[in-house]
Amino acid sequence: SIDTANTISEDINIVSSKDARSQFNPLYNAFDNMYTAAKQAELSCDFDVWTDMQLDRAVATMLHRHFLHLFQVWRPADHPQLLDEILTPLRIYVKTHDVVADVEQLYPFESLLGQTLVPRLKQFVFTQWDPMSDSMTLLLDALPPVVVAMISDEIESVLRRFVNGINPRAIMAEYRRAMVGSSKPADTKSVPTPSSNLEPLRLDRVVLPWLPFIHDRGELTSDIRRKLCTTLSDWIPSKKSNPDIMMLVSPWLELLHGKELRKLSSKVIERLELMLRSESVFDTQGQPMWPFEVLIKWHTCLPFADWFSLIKGQVLPKFVAYLRQWLEDPNASYPEIADWYWQWRQQYPADIFEHTAVQTEFRKPLVYMAVATARRHQSN
């Protein structure tokens, strides 16, 4: 069976990728005969004939010349399904690692791909691959993890090049102009919807699908975080813009960690804090709700400690100050004040009250109301 496979291998001449699968069929049938014979031999032996005789190495050796020529003439963008067509049928005959392994520990088939396929993939990724296209998923899904790891640096380099080519300030300038245009009467609108101007900043759509294939993401995620922080620097929070900015930032608040998460979260906090300082007031006669509503929306995205620092530092002090001023009014209706307090409390997400720090802060207004009620009773 081995001699037959060698003879067939010598007779094969692969000239293009389009008919490669059909030209490999005779050789693959020979491999199947080898494998069947090895399994039959196991019935009279006490060892794994295929593995112990390293027949997977024989398979890789027979394929080497053909793969080397095939991948040199192959155009991945035109025929991305080639790898699935020619590699998937071989999986029964060869071993591959389920996780990334050291180069010294590669199986013969993995070494074969490293020598014949990886140089072509590196060239394609670095010179032709467009991250906006998903065609390369067909390539990567057909490869062992260790082979994917061999082109990980090239994938990261192209993604970094894509990210660093984005100009957030120019994009945000267009976005602000679109926001102004969207406030005009319908018959005078001549600009696209504001959110469409932010499409170039939807880095999650372009980058996230490729992150599982990148071994070291540190520099790439730093680049992304810097672009998002620049975007946030040009953001003036409003009820209309908040969903658009959350759309850009929230996927990365979930993915980032450590100092990158802290830097991105701090930039969001900085912008929301400026909004609360200038726009947030308490007034029963004309309460602007949108700053508070914007802040609440970020509750599920930001780290809780960061988010609650805004509540504690910018919202509750104004709330308590207004409450105390109202309580000092001799004509104030305490039941009305209590009702106002509870209505405001119900605006907050219920889950935040599981935190002791939150419970402590919200007990303070209750103490002020209890003291004012006791004083009124004493004076009466």
Side-chain angles (χ1 to χ4, degrees), residues 207-219:
V207 176
L208 289 185
W210 307 110
L211 286 186
F213 304 112
I214 299 176
H215 180 63
D216 185 359
R217 310 170 183 175
E219 292 183 341

Side-chain angles (χ1 to χ4, degrees), residues 57-350:
R57 186 178 298 277
V59 168
T61 300
M62 293 182 213
L63 289 170
H64 187 278
R65 175 174 63 89
H66 307 300
F67 276 13
L68 191 61
H69 174 71
L70 173 63
F71 295 137
Q72 286 175 348
V73 301
W74 172 49
R75 295 182 177 181
D78 297 336
H79 192 183
Q81 66 270 28
L82 174 69
L83 297 186
D84 183 56
E85 293 172 356
I86 68 172
L87 300 185
T88 300
L90 295 171
R91 289 178 180 172
I92 190 174
Y93 315 122
V94 298
K95 284 185 176 181
T96 59
H97 291 93
D98 294 330
V99 296
V100 176
D102 293 334
V103 175
E104 294 79 9
Q105 300 175 336
L106 297 183
Y107 290 121
F109 184 65
E110 294 170 333
S111 294
L112 168 68
L113 297 179
Q115 296 166 11
T116 62
L117 172 62
V118 168
R120 178 67 184 100
L121 284 180
K122 286 185 175 182
Q123 180 189 41
F124 165 71
V125 169
F126 203 74
T127 62
Q128 295 178 270
W129 176 51
D130 179 3
M132 299 292 287
S133 168
D134 64 354
S135 62
M136 201 169 72
T137 57
L138 292 175
L139 310 181
L140 301 182
D141 288 344
L143 297 177
V146 67
V147 177
V148 174
M150 294 179 187
I151 62 172
S152 174
D153 289 346
E154 282 69 27
I155 295 174
E156 185 204 20
S157 294
V158 173
L159 290 173
R160 290 190 65 196
R161 186 170 64 199
F162 172 82
V163 170
N164 289 323
I166 295 173
N167 186 341
R169 296 200 181 280
I171 294 171
M172 287 300 290
E174 289 293 328
Y175 176 71
R176 289 193 298 272
R177 283 192 286 270
M179 289 289 289
V180 173
S182 68
S183 64
K184 297 178 181 178
D187 57 355
T188 64
K189 289 183 179 179
S190 59
V191 294
T193 57
S195 60
S196 65
N197 287 273
L198 295 179
E199 282 301 313
L201 286 169
R202 289 300 306 268
L203 299 177
D204 54 307
R205 291 181 175 175
V206 179
V207 176
L208 289 185
W210 307 110
L211 286 186
F213 304 112
I214 299 176
H215 180 63
D216 185 359
R217 310 170 183 175
E219 292 183 341
L220 173 60
T221 53
S222 291
D223 291 343
I224 292 170
R225 190 269 306 160
R226 282 191 288 269
K227 292 293 181 179
L228 292 174
C229 285
T230 301
T231 300
L232 289 167
S233 294
D234 287 354
W235 173 48
I236 301 175
S238 68
K239 187 175 182 179
K240 290 177 64 176
S241 69
N242 192 57
D244 295 337
I245 300 302
M246 288 186 67
M247 174 183 67
L248 301 181
V249 176
S250 58
W252 300 102
L253 287 169
E254 294 180 16
L255 180 73
L256 297 180
H257 55 84
K259 67 177 183 180
E260 298 298 342
L261 173 59
R262 290 193 295 273
K263 289 179 179 179
L264 182 57
S265 177
S266 295
K267 179 57 71 171
V268 176
I269 294 297
E270 171 192 304
R271 305 310 296 172
L272 294 177
E273 184 175 16
L274 288 173
M275 172 195 72
L276 292 172
R277 285 180 177 177
S278 61
E279 303 289 346
S280 178
V281 296
F282 286 92
D283 186 353
T284 56
Q285 303 303 314
Q287 178 68 55
M289 292 296 297
W290 74 262
F292 183 76
E293 292 169 349
V294 166
L295 179 60
I296 292 297
K297 292 289 186 182
W298 286 94
H299 158 245
T300 56
C301 301
L302 293 167
F304 178 78
D306 294 349
W307 179 81
F308 190 66
S309 69
L310 286 174
I311 298 292
K312 185 176 179 179
Q314 297 297 323
V315 178
L316 288 179
K318 294 180 181 179
F319 178 83
V320 170
Y322 185 81
L323 174 69
R324 295 184 67 177
Q325 182 181 3
W326 196 359
L327 289 170
E328 292 171 0
D329 183 351
N331 299 317
S333 169
Y334 286 179
E336 181 183 355
I337 295 176
D339 183 61
W340 177 81
Y341 166 81
W342 287 107
Q343 285 184 8
W344 264 105
R345 193 180 189 279
Q346 291 171 2
Q347 300 297 317
Y348 290 88

